[in-house]
DNA sequence: TACAGCTACGAAACCGTTTTCGTGTTAAAA
DNA sequence: TTTTAACACGAAAACGGTTTCGTAGCTGTA
């Protein structure tokens, strides 16, 4: 790779000092007009652009925001990233995106790597393994030194810090209510293992809706999917029961789509014999047949809000610290053909 | 934000020089055992980690790879990113992912930002707008200065550089052949506008399959979707024809799923009245009812290969340059229920 | 003539790290 | 006792910028 042009080279080439070049390029009138124009012309000709590492080091400011997500192939996360991106870009920030693959060790490494000077602030959705272990010291350190840090979606309850979360409980509640309003009685839920907070909250809201209407919350109607095993088989258990449910709430889009497949495989009609509602912000729901009713998560808005919070922390002066915020993004029911 | 600990602080605190600290932390036996252990203990206690900006500047090596993609919410691209990530991480590289949103201007900015010191190499899938305009000077500059650069999927035909592409033509050919083998006669294609290379190549292969079997390539059976307008309406035109096709090849998953919806809306049976095959690496195909036959693109492999190429260029010595490579990733037909 | 003030530039420090090249002290060898 | 080598550490330069401060040279004024 041929060496990139820099200020020293320009200075040497034009017989002036580096400081003169630097000033001339910023149009400082400390530099005579003739010299200034000569330097600017030269720089333009050779397409000079200042080295961002040097700038960051000097200014103690990178104009980068780090983002750590558990999975990049999940549509929800990419929606959030889009939302973050849009706000960040408006303020000339760039994103460094890292993927923890839901592994604790990778997450720790990512955090260390990003916070050693590479970014001005960090946005994190916590890895499943970290949540399972309850091992948050890598985040605690950042909180302790007031490093700008915002969590979204998968957050740690006992950790201080700014958070942006979906109103999962109300979402679950509305899902339950919606199914009940559609005249369904035997309501099942397809959810995640218990260490995944979002699943727990959605389930809690769902149960609340059932309780309110004096519907029985049948434990046989609760499927906790372990992703390491065959998902379809686990969901299909609902259809092995003596009394098959007539309404299903799935805490994500994939589970909902699979539930719909299982239903149709049995020759049952959606929504007549079985109503299905998903919790998602994805692309699948509009493309299934029938289309899927969902609780919309508004990932893009979440990203917007998250980015705003982290930028706020970055700009914050040492002596005017705001208390930690938790922003709750509301969901809403998007009714389609599956209910 | 409280100031992060650095070598100077450690040095001052322990009454030694920065160079001594630096050497001690690398376990150099130039430093006496006692001093060494004292410094190491202190560093560990305060969780010292070297500043990566300073390291990068000093070493002229960032251990970052830049990735510019047109859209982050497209599953194919996130699959490729996963593939890149996995190879990069093995060699201790991190990713800086930027999104061009298919806009030329954003792409140019991203390229400039990343190549001004932030990354050691760059991976790009070119923005649609750039392909339309044919404006590649921002890449040409990089090629001229031998900056490690690898394109994938959306590449520029007249630009030198390493490329990783899908064998779109053969993919399209196999899609056509598959439909013919299923006994279909009136074959339609749903593709992209003509400036999108991948669409053109897939169409070319498809046409070749039809030609070989002396099937008529009916221009009414060619839909070029403009994404700024209602996609479903455009696709639905196929169903307004006097003679409705009995087989559809869609160059991506979304178009294929919409085609399936349109078919079922008409009360037609898949695959009996209409066979549909998509070109994709996505999640939708397994979740539609019926499931979708696809030409699998192997995005993850593509990412692997792309990362390998860029790492190879990064490691390359000045005097042992290899000629530019174009790696072609083969596709294969994944038969499901829609054909 | 003397001094002030302006113009136009350069020197040097700094951001955080690494590394080369001294150098003062001590111990071993001659 | 003198020379030499090893040891343990520090000074300084370098990576590529920015910025503060200093100053040479000129002009204008008293």
């Amino acid at each position: 790779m041929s060496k990139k042009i820099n200020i020293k080279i320009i200075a040497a080439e034009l017989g002036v000092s580096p400081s003169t070049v630097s000033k001339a390029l910023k149009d400082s009138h400390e530099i005579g007009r003739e010299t200034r124009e000569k330097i600017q012309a030269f720089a333009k000709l050779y397409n000079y652009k200042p080295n961002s590492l040097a700038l960051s080091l000097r200014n103690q400011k990178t104009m980068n925001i780090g983002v750590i997500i558990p999975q990049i192939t999940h549509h929800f996360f990419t929606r959030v990233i889009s939302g973050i991106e849009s706000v960040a870009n408006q303020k000339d920030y760039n994103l460094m995106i890292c993927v923890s693959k839901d592994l604790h060790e990778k997450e720790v490494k990512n955090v260390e790597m990003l916070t050693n000077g590479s970014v001005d602030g960090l946005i994190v959705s916590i890895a499943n393994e970290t949540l399972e272990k309850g091992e948050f010291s890598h985040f605690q350190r950042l909180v302790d030194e007031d490093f700008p840090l915002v969590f979204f979606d998968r957050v740690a309850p006992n950790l201080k810090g700014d958070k942006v979360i979906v109103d999962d409980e109300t979402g679950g509640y509305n899902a339950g209510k919606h199914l009940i309003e559609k005249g369904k009685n035997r309501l099942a839920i397809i959810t995640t293992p218990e260490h995944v907070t979002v699943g727990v909250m959605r389930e809690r809201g769902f149960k609340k809706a059932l309780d309110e209407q004096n519907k029985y919350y049948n434990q046989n109607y609760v499927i906790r999917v372990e992703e390491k095993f065959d998902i379809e088989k686990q969901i299909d258990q609902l259809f092995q029961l003596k009394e098959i449910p007539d309404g299903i709430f799935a805490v994500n889009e994939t589970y909902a789509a699979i539930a719909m497949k299982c239903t149709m495989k049995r020759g049952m009609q959606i929504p007549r014999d079985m109503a299905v509602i998903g919790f998602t912000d994805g692309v699948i729901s509009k493309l299934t047949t029938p289309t899927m009713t969902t609780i919309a998560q508004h990932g893009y808005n979440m990203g917007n809000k998250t980015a705003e919070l982290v930028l706020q922390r970055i700009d914050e002066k040492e002596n005017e610290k705001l208390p930690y915020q938790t922003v709750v993004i509301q969901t809403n029911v998007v009714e389609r053909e599956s209910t």
Side-chain angles (χ1 to χ4, degrees), chain A:
Chain A
M1 199 176 88
S2 68
K3 219 183 141 205
K4 262 220 144 186
I5 191 164
N6 63 31
I7 275 200
K8 283 189 189 174
I9 298 181
I10 299 182
E13 212 69 30
L14 297 181
V16 293
S17 80
S19 17
T20 304
V21 176
S22 175
K23 290 170 187 165
L25 292 176
K26 306 197 112 60
D27 241 340
S28 158
H29 51 218
E30 231 185 297
I31 304 303
R33 202 176 121 186
E34 214 180 323
T35 321
R36 221 186 316 156
E37 285 173 353
K38 184 179 62 179
I39 292 174
Q40 286 173 2
F42 190 93
K44 184 157 196 179
L45 179 63
Y46 287 96
N47 201 257
Y48 167 79
K49 291 274 157 28
N51 179 302
S52 18
L53 290 178
L55 276 185
S56 299
L57 188 58
R58 162 78 216 210
N59 301 335
Q60 297 292 84
K61 192 105 193 336
T62 65
M63 299 306 283
N64 286 149
I65 294 175
V67 181
I68 303 178
I69 51 170
Q71 298 287 352
I72 194 157
T73 48
H74 275 31
H75 192 259
F76 169 68
F77 290 119
T78 60
R79 291 287 296 162
V80 177
I81 288 179
S82 286
I84 296 171
E85 241 258 331
S86 127
V87 171
N89 277 190
Q90 273 170 33
K91 305 242 175 181
D92 280 323
Y93 279 83
N94 284 292
L95 260 40
M96 286 196 68
I97 301 166
C98 292
V99 183
S100 66
K101 295 193 180 167
D102 270 320
L103 300 176
H104 180 68
E105 196 191 321
K106 281 213 72 176
E107 185 179 82
V108 173
K109 274 197 180 162
N110 286 334
V111 168
E112 283 184 352
M113 184 262 150
L114 290 173
T115 55
N116 286 323
S118 302
V119 300
D120 297 333
L122 192 57
I123 292 173
V124 181
S125 187
I126 303 179
N128 269 339
E129 204 183 65
T130 303
L131 290 168
E132 276 180 63
K133 291 189 178 176
E135 220 324 281
F136 303 117
S137 57
H138 52 312
F139 295 130
Q140 190 58 54
R141 270 203 293 274
L142 296 179
V143 172
D144 290 346
E145 59 183 42
D146 284 332
F147 190 91
L149 172 65
V150 181
F151 296 99
F152 76 89
D153 196 54
R154 304 226 203 125
V155 303
N158 298 323
L159 204 58
K160 298 272 172 205
D162 295 309
K163 298 170 187 175
V164 179
I165 51 175
V166 172
D167 190 348
D168 290 298
E169 190 168 337
T170 308
Y173 175 82
N174 288 335
K177 214 171 115 197
H178 179 80
L179 289 174
I180 292 168
E181 282 169 6
K182 292 290 168 182
K184 301 300 176 180
N185 285 299
R186 303 183 304 281
L187 302 186
I189 178 169
I190 305 173
T191 183
T192 52
E194 288 180 340
H195 56 83
V196 183
T197 344
V198 296
V200 174
M201 300 306 286
R202 289 171 196 174
E203 184 183 347
R204 184 178 301 170
F206 183 69
K207 187 170 183 308
K208 201 169 123 196
L210 268 61
D211 286 349
E212 259 184 35
Q213 303 293 320
N214 297 313
K215 301 275 176 196
Y216 174 51
Y217 190 62
N218 187 337
Q219 283 303 321
N220 291 326
Y221 286 177
V222 180
I223 303 287
R224 290 185 205 287
V225 173
E226 291 285 352
E227 300 226 347
K228 41 186 174 240
F229 306 124
D230 185 321
I231 302 176
E232 188 163 341
K233 253 190 201 144
Q234 294 173 69
I235 291 177
D236 208 50
Q237 286 173 15
L238 285 176
F239 297 85
Q240 319 276 351
L241 297 171
K242 260 167 293 176
E243 212 174 17
I244 296 178
D246 61 359
I248 295 180
F249 167 45
V251 301
N252 66 46
E253 188 172 49
T254 308
Y255 297 172
I258 295 177
M260 284 173 65
K261 285 205 76 60
C262 290
T263 308
M264 291 157 87
K265 217 168 50 190
R266 300 267 154 183
M268 294 165 70
Q269 290 265 327
I270 299 174
R272 197 195 60 192
D273 309 327
M274 174 73 81
V276 178
I277 183 166
F279 203 114
T280 174
D281 196 24
V283 288
I284 300 174
S285 45
K286 298 188 199 70
L287 295 173
T288 53
T289 307
T291 53
M292 187 196 299
T293 297
T294 61
I295 306 292
Q297 293 183 79
H298 306 297
Y300 189 85
N301 291 346
M302 242 181 129
N304 289 160
K305 197 63 210 170
T306 311
E308 281 165 19
L309 280 185
V310 84
L311 288 175
Q312 193 175 309
R313 286 292 173 198
I314 290 173
D315 290 339
E316 194 175 54
K317 302 276 177 292
E318 198 69 32
N319 48 359
E320 46 187 41
K321 294 257 166 64
L322 295 167
Y324 294 124
Q325 290 183 50
T326 295
V327 175
V328 179
I329 305 284
Q330 292 305 321
T331 61
N332 62 294
V333 179
V334 179
E335 189 171 342
R336 299 203 183 84
E337 300 162 359
S338 69
T339 58

